[in-house]
Amino acid sequence: MISALLCLLLADISLTSVNPWREMGRFVSAMLAPDLPILSIVGEALITTLAFAFLGVALAAIGGLLLALIYHHRWVRGLTALLRAVHELFWALIFLQFFGLHPLTGLLAIAIPYSGVFAKIYAEILDETSATPQRVLPVSCGGLVALLYTRIPQAWPHLVSYTRYRLECGIRSSAILGFVGIPTLGYYLESSFAQGFYSEVATLLLLFYLLIGTMRFWLKSWLIPLLLAIAPFMLDRGLPIVWSNFGRFISEDIVPAPLRRAEHVWATDTWVELGAWLQEIVYVQALPGLWNTLVLSQIALVLTAILTLLLFPLVSQKLMPAKGRFAGHILLIIGRSTPEYLLAYILLQLWGPSMLPAIIALAIHNGSLIGFLIGQRSNGLKLRQDTVAGVDRYSYEVLPRIYSAFLAFLFYRWEVIIRETAILGILGIHTLGFFVDSAIQEIRFDIALVLIGIAALLNILVDTFARRLRNRLRLTHHSAC
């Protein structure tokens, strides 16, 4: 809390729009009067969004499961940490350079980071299974047989549950890929907002919320194989891949400039120049980007915690009557279904460029998600018949018993908030993503790759620190976070 207050003094949280509240009023009014005819135009984008999500998550689940089986190797843990540390939009920006607007760009942008996430969570789920069934198998049975007949059946419900949750995340990721040109819902959202057609934006957002909020009704187990079979044919063909661009990207574009233009790579002068080149990147771009990333994310983390404590009672059976819980569920579905990037984009257009839209977007999304999970956790508590009511029940009965879980969820989301903070720089906030996007716009892919590597390293360090802190405090979290 103290660090967040100090960061607040250093952060740019001003409203720079000429009349931000008038624009906010226009947007809210548009939410109450959606432009339904646009639904006939965006039907294909909706199908494309779902196709990218289903195929990307399916590829990631297969890759993640294979990596989970060898997750005990340190190099595998390091590789998966690197894969998930780079945001989907960073991956998309990389693949755009040599695949262009081809379906491979979107599929790999989702599949690669998600495979790192799946590997970690699947490994944790498999490790929690009982070893007793495996002991009764004949000695002649190999490891694969033991896996298929003992560990997988025990872990199956948890594996399915997490995969379904990750599919919801995949739909959100697929939608925001539209902001880099891939024809998903995000493409039409950005276009409508840029033109000031708030009623169209409202319609698209409501469609998105409806899609996420009704998943448990339309996503049936028997339907998934059929959807996966159809999905490849629902993707936009895009532009053909120019493989020469791929070769140039690997052999030239990402090679550091001093090495690329040197006559003798191993000459001392070349390496001195390389050192000066790296030093300039670090001091001029990386350090300012890191500083702003950490300041913004720290404020967002504390605001997320405050918002979580305010929101979880809305869905708790112990604290809210049934009618109130229904409204609470709707509110939290909207909050956690709106991608941070999309919400930050909307608020930036309404309030002007500063850190404030990003802070609010991160807090709303993560606070709604953790609030929902904590509220569900509180439903399992058993209270005495003579327990107190009202604020006293919240303060003295419920909150103390779910506080460790709350901290565990918060520390787990810390890494996610850092990753999202970095990518929000693409919207103009001077975090690491701003400098990455600037380097790509200037066709300086070597600099962009160095900055993406620094962003990934920051995420790995935060993840490691948060995990050790959870272990030190003996905090456990549910894998569905």
Side-chain angles (χ1 to χ4, degrees):
M1 179 66 79
I2 295 174
S3 62
L5 290 174
L6 292 175
C7 289
L8 200 59
L9 297 174
L10 301 170
D12 174 18
I13 54 172
S14 58
L15 295 177
T16 57
S17 178
V18 175
N19 197 332
W21 301 117
R22 184 182 66 185
E23 288 298 305
M24 199 72 179
R26 284 184 58 205
F27 182 72
V28 172
S29 298
M31 291 294 288
L32 302 176
D35 182 11
L36 297 180
I38 195 177
L39 294 176
S40 61
I41 301 173
V42 300
E44 186 176 347
L46 177 63
I47 293 172
T48 302
T49 301
L50 290 173
F52 273 116
F54 271 94
L55 291 175
V57 172
L59 290 173
I62 294 170
L65 181 59
L66 294 176
L67 288 169
L69 301 180
I70 53 174
Y71 197 73
H72 56 280
H73 293 296
R74 180 171 295 180
W75 68 269
V76 176
R77 295 196 298 273
L79 173 64
T80 55
L82 178 62
L83 295 180
R84 65 177 180 268
V86 180
H87 194 278
E88 302 93 86
L89 280 183
F90 279 153
W91 285 112
L93 289 172
I94 292 171
F95 292 128
L96 272 173
Q97 309 314 315
F98 46 85
F99 290 146
L101 291 175
H102 190 274
L104 270 178
T105 296
L107 286 178
L108 293 177
I110 295 174
I112 289 179
Y114 277 38
S115 64
V117 176
F118 273 126
K120 177 184 177 181
I121 302 300
Y122 282 176
E124 290 177 356
I125 293 173
L126 290 172
D127 286 344
E128 291 173 1
T129 58
S130 173
T132 303
Q134 190 170 344
R135 297 193 190 103
V136 302
L137 288 177
V139 179
S140 58
C141 291
L144 181 61
V145 173
L147 175 71
L148 294 176
Y149 286 95
T150 62
R151 297 173 68 192
I152 293 291
Q154 292 182 73
W156 186 252
H158 300 292
L159 295 174
V160 171
S161 174
Y162 183 76
T163 305
R164 289 175 70 94
Y165 163 74
R166 186 49 58 176
L167 179 60
E168 178 185 330
C169 299
I171 294 174
R172 292 199 296 265
S173 296
S174 178
I176 65 170
L177 289 177
F179 284 82
V180 296
I182 296 173
T184 60
L185 276 176
Y187 178 84
Y188 289 91
L189 273 165
E190 182 183 32
S191 176
S192 296
F193 214 113
Q195 298 175 75
F197 299 154
Y198 292 166
S199 293
E200 291 184 1
V201 175
T203 306
L204 295 173
L205 285 174
L206 291 172
L207 176 63
F208 189 69
Y209 297 146
L210 184 64
L211 179 68
I212 298 293
T214 60
M215 276 185 65
R216 61 192 180 101
F217 299 111
W218 60 263
L219 187 61
K220 304 297 183 182
S221 299
W222 60 268
L223 190 59
I224 292 176
L226 179 62
L227 293 174
L228 287 173
I230 296 174
F233 303 99
M234 298 295 105
L235 294 175
D236 184 82
R237 292 186 179 182
L239 300 174
I241 298 174
V242 180
W243 290 106
S244 59
N245 290 343
F246 176 78
R248 188 183 68 247
F249 184 83
I250 296 297
S251 61
E252 296 181 27
D253 291 347
I254 63 173
V255 176
L259 299 181
R260 189 168 60 242
R261 58 175 177 254
E263 293 184 8
H264 303 288
V265 174
W266 299 109
T268 303
D269 290 346
T270 301
W271 290 94
V272 170
E273 186 180 353
L274 178 63
W277 178 80
L278 287 172
Q279 186 178 30
E280 182 179 2
I281 294 173
V282 169
Y283 283 103
V284 176
Q285 300 183 55
L287 288 180
L290 280 170
W291 173 256
N292 289 325
T293 299
L294 290 172
V295 166
L296 199 160
S297 61
Q298 188 63 29
I299 299 171
L301 181 69
V302 173
L303 189 56
T304 295
I306 295 170
L307 204 57
T308 298
L309 296 178
L310 295 174
L311 290 177
F312 89 83
L314 299 180
V315 293
S316 173
Q317 296 173 3
K318 311 301 180 185
L319 299 168
M320 184 67 64
K323 290 182 180 179
R325 289 201 306 276
F326 178 77
H329 275 289
I330 297 297
L331 179 64
L332 294 190
I333 284 174
I334 292 173
R336 73 175 191 270
S337 298
T338 308
E340 301 98 315
Y341 187 91
L342 174 58
L343 185 55
Y345 173 80
I346 292 172
L347 294 178
L348 275 166
Q349 307 307 311
L350 298 175
W351 296 348
S354 76
M355 289 185 178
L356 184 61
I359 292 169
I360 299 299
L362 288 164
I364 288 176
H365 176 81
N366 290 285
S368 299
L369 176 58
I370 304 175
F372 172 76
L373 294 170
I374 291 298
Q376 295 295 101
R377 179 70 65 93
S378 72
N379 291 338
L381 299 177
K382 292 184 179 180
L383 303 181
R384 301 191 314 269
Q385 293 292 331
D386 61 342
T387 188
V388 293
V391 176
D392 287 340
R393 176 181 291 191
Y394 171 86
S395 303
Y396 299 109
E397 287 287 341
V398 177
L399 184 57
R401 295 169 67 181
I402 55 101
Y403 194 72
S404 63
F406 157 70
L407 288 179
F409 282 126
L410 191 65
F411 289 146
Y412 182 78
R413 293 299 294 182
W414 191 7
E415 177 211 352
V416 178
I417 290 173
I418 288 280
R419 188 166 65 243
E420 292 292 340
T421 299
I423 199 66
L424 289 177
I426 295 177
L427 298 175
I429 304 164
H430 285 199
T431 61
L432 279 168
F434 172 83
F435 297 101
V436 171
D437 189 54
S438 298
I440 290 175
Q441 296 300 324
E442 296 169 4
I443 319 179
R444 302 173 73 179
F445 302 121
D446 50 348
I447 295 177
L449 207 63
V450 170
L451 293 171
I452 289 174
I454 291 172
L457 180 60
L458 175 63
N459 275 277
I460 291 171
L461 291 174
V462 170
D463 180 42
T464 302
F465 177 73
R467 186 173 64 251
R468 289 181 178 177
L469 192 57
R470 288 198 305 269
N471 293 336
R472 184 184 182 90
L473 298 175
R474 293 184 173 88
L475 302 175
T476 59
H477 62 79
H478 193 279
S479 60
C481 190

